[in-house]
Amino acid sequence: MDEWLVRAWESGVFDERERAVVAGRSEGRTLDEVGEALGLSRERVRQIQNRARKRLTEMADLVQDGWREKAHATGTSPAAPREAFAAALGVVDHVALDELLAAAGLEAPRTWAGPLRGWWSIDAGALDGALRRLIDTAPFRGDELGRAAAEAGLPAGLPLAELLTHPGSRLALSPDRHWVRRKARGRDAAYLWLLEAGRPCQPDELIAPMAATTVAAVREALRRDDRFRQVRPEGTWALTEWTHLRASPYATAVEAMVAVVTESGPLSRARLFARVTELYPVTPWRLKQCLLSDQLGETPDGLIDLVSRGARPFEEEEPAQPDTMAVEGEVLGVRIPVTRDILRGSGVNVHTWLTWRLRLRRAPMSRTFTTPGDHAPLVVRRGTSSAQLSSLRRHALELEVVDGCVLAVLLRLDDDTVRVGHGCAPDSCPARRARAAASPAVNV
């Protein structure tokens, strides 16, 4: 790696003020902001930056033939990081490289969050276009973000979570950590919920994922969206794209998969998925989850068959451990944010690492933990597509927590007992702040 750029930067060619201007502009500060810090006018800062850029360009012309062409070739992507240009030019990644790229006609890609600093492209608007193509595919599950981004033409390594959660983005994270459109959060969340469930749902089942307040609100929202249709006389809600509902005798995708294997015998995964999709159209992700059913397994030659016929049951591979869960000795700790759903008494969806660690690696499976006093036992359940804790409402009420607090759930693995505590730090506890605000001032 040639270090001529660093040597030139640290030599006496550039004075302290020039280096400060270039560094400030590389960090995203405006001409006015840099000028205010250095006691210079906006125009003077611009002149100093242009002078430094001209000197760097002259040096590059002396030591590297074709550096502009190499920069352009790297910048054909909607966005490429500065280190990619450094590698292409054979130089050390350095703030001074920004000036060379600007001199070659490249620009910082434009996004709704402003210019994307540290990234460059020959077409500043290409990244915004790719981001909007990504939005057009919404809603999608949180774990599908990488796939959706690649299909939209977005380069790897982008700070997507930062861009998509920016106030200017048309996407937002749902309570289930899926990507939904800001102006259709509830309906998009219902779409993903139904897609994952693979079956029509009663409107009261959709209250929690939609963050709705009443069944009537659920019905009104879905009625106005042509992605949903009501199944009568049951009164359930389904996806319009489910053409199988009238003809299919199966209640779930798992039931359809078991029926196909029972009738046809061992099948390859590709043939099984194709057959099941004809009977019960769901996503490949949902079909893969169905394999965790305790009725299905794998034969020695890699086919899928019934466990009752000797197939070895599938087990979930270890997912990445979330930072909200930890194990110390025989105690497994889980930090759970308090939401309106918990305070209403709904079950809590949790990361499947918990059920994997509890060895609930097929479905349906559950493990019960007893609680002190007269509390109902706490049950951890593993389904084919999700993991869930039973209601924590009574614990939440007794601990006097509010929306935004944190519950600390401590599961003892040696005796299957559980304790639930208040997990907030004292100086950042919403419940404590609310109580302090409600307390009358004491006159001394």
Side-chain angles (χ1 to χ4, degrees):
M1 186 71 70
D2 195 339
E3 298 187 6
W4 73 264
L5 186 60
V6 175
R7 291 196 302 271
W9 184 252
E10 295 176 350
S11 70
V13 175
F14 300 95
D15 60 32
E16 193 67 29
R17 194 165 57 174
E18 287 173 320
R19 287 197 290 269
V21 167
V22 170
R25 294 292 282 150
S26 178
E27 293 167 359
R29 282 183 275 172
T30 65
L31 293 171
D32 289 322
E33 289 169 341
V34 174
E36 184 177 351
L38 298 177
L40 301 172
S41 69
R42 182 179 189 278
E43 178 58 23
R44 184 58 183 146
V45 171
R46 187 187 65 78
Q47 292 172 357
I48 292 172
Q49 182 181 11
N50 287 343
R51 184 176 66 200
R53 181 179 299 174
K54 184 174 184 295
R55 288 178 181 172
L56 284 166
T57 304
E58 290 171 348
M59 292 178 185
D61 289 338
L62 288 174
V63 299
Q64 279 202 352
D65 291 332
W67 67 270
R68 289 179 178 83
E69 291 75 11
K70 293 176 183 177
H72 272 251
T74 307
T76 54
S77 166
R82 192 173 65 198
E83 55 264 30
F85 290 94
L89 298 181
V91 298
V92 175
D93 186 13
H94 191 274
V95 292
L97 182 56
D98 288 339
E99 297 301 322
L100 286 179
L101 298 178
L106 285 88
E107 300 180 66
R110 292 192 300 269
T111 73
W112 48 68
L116 186 61
R117 297 296 171 185
W119 294 73
W120 293 85
S121 176
I122 58 175
D123 182 357
L127 178 60
D128 185 70
L131 286 169
R132 295 188 184 280
R133 287 195 298 274
L134 173 66
I135 289 174
D136 289 341
T137 68
F140 46 83
R141 293 178 51 82
D143 57 11
E144 293 179 337
L145 176 58
R147 173 197 58 76
E151 291 179 355
L154 290 166
L158 280 174
L160 274 178
E162 180 182 338
L163 288 171
L164 296 181
T165 54
H166 185 273
S169 169
R170 286 160 43 199
L171 289 187
L173 276 175
S174 73
D176 292 333
R177 310 297 293 175
H178 302 321
W179 293 102
V180 296
R181 294 167 298 167
R182 287 184 184 274
K183 293 186 177 181
R185 294 187 193 209
R187 287 174 286 134
D188 280 359
Y191 177 85
L192 291 173
W193 179 274
L194 287 168
L195 199 63
E196 183 173 331
R199 60 173 177 82
C201 290
Q202 294 290 343
D204 58 357
E205 296 179 77
L206 300 172
I207 287 178
M210 292 180 66
T213 53
T214 64
V215 166
V218 170
R219 289 172 177 156
E220 179 60 22
L222 300 187
R223 183 184 63 80
R224 293 183 288 106
D225 192 317
D226 59 12
R227 292 176 297 172
F228 306 94
R229 69 182 180 90
Q230 191 170 27
V231 181
R232 300 181 184 278
E234 298 91 341
T236 54
W237 285 88
L239 298 179
T240 304
E241 64 195 63
W242 289 347
T243 58
H244 66 284
L245 286 180
R246 294 188 181 278
S248 177
Y250 307 110
T252 66
V254 172
E255 186 178 315
M257 187 172 289
V258 170
V260 169
V261 174
T262 300
E263 178 181 349
S264 302
L267 293 170
S268 68
R269 182 174 299 204
R271 289 194 62 193
L272 175 60
F273 283 13
R275 291 279 303 278
V276 174
T277 303
E278 293 174 0
L279 300 172
Y280 204 96
V282 289
T283 63
W285 177 88
R286 180 70 183 104
L287 292 173
K288 183 179 178 181
Q289 292 299 308
C290 290
L291 296 179
L292 293 177
S293 168
D294 56 5
Q295 300 179 71
L296 297 166
E298 188 175 35
T299 66
D301 52 354
L303 301 179
I304 297 171
D305 199 2
L306 300 177
V307 170
S308 61
R309 294 199 292 231
R312 179 178 56 84
F314 289 97
E315 285 193 355
E316 182 183 35
E317 296 180 359
E318 181 179 7
Q321 180 179 348
D323 55 11
T324 55
M325 299 181 187
V327 177
E328 185 171 344
E330 291 297 320
V331 178
L332 195 160
V334 184
R335 291 175 58 83
I336 297 179
V338 176
T339 63
R340 288 180 296 170
D341 295 337
I342 288 179
L343 299 175
R344 281 198 298 256
S346 301
V348 182
N349 287 329
V350 293
H351 196 284
T352 53
W353 182 85
L354 175 62
T355 48
W356 186 92
R357 185 62 179 75
L358 294 177
R359 302 195 66 80
L360 306 177
R361 300 177 189 175
R362 297 192 299 277
M365 296 184 76
S366 65
R367 186 165 171 178
T368 301
F369 294 83
T370 58
T371 56
D374 60 348
H375 283 286
L378 188 72
V379 181
V380 182
R381 295 184 177 85
R382 176 69 173 94
T384 55
S385 60
S386 64
Q388 192 175 70
L389 280 174
S390 58
S391 173
L392 294 167
R393 181 174 185 272
R394 186 167 176 181
H395 293 283
L397 294 177
E398 288 184 358
L399 293 168
E400 298 183 341
V401 295
V402 299
D403 194 352
C405 284
V406 174
L407 291 177
V409 179
L410 303 177
L411 304 169
R412 285 202 63 90
L413 307 183
D414 53 352
D415 62 4
D416 283 358
T417 59
V418 62
R419 289 188 177 275
V420 181
H422 191 161
C424 287
D427 58 348
S428 61
C429 175
R432 178 171 294 196
R433 289 199 299 266
R435 287 194 291 270
S439 300
V442 179
N443 295 320
V444 179

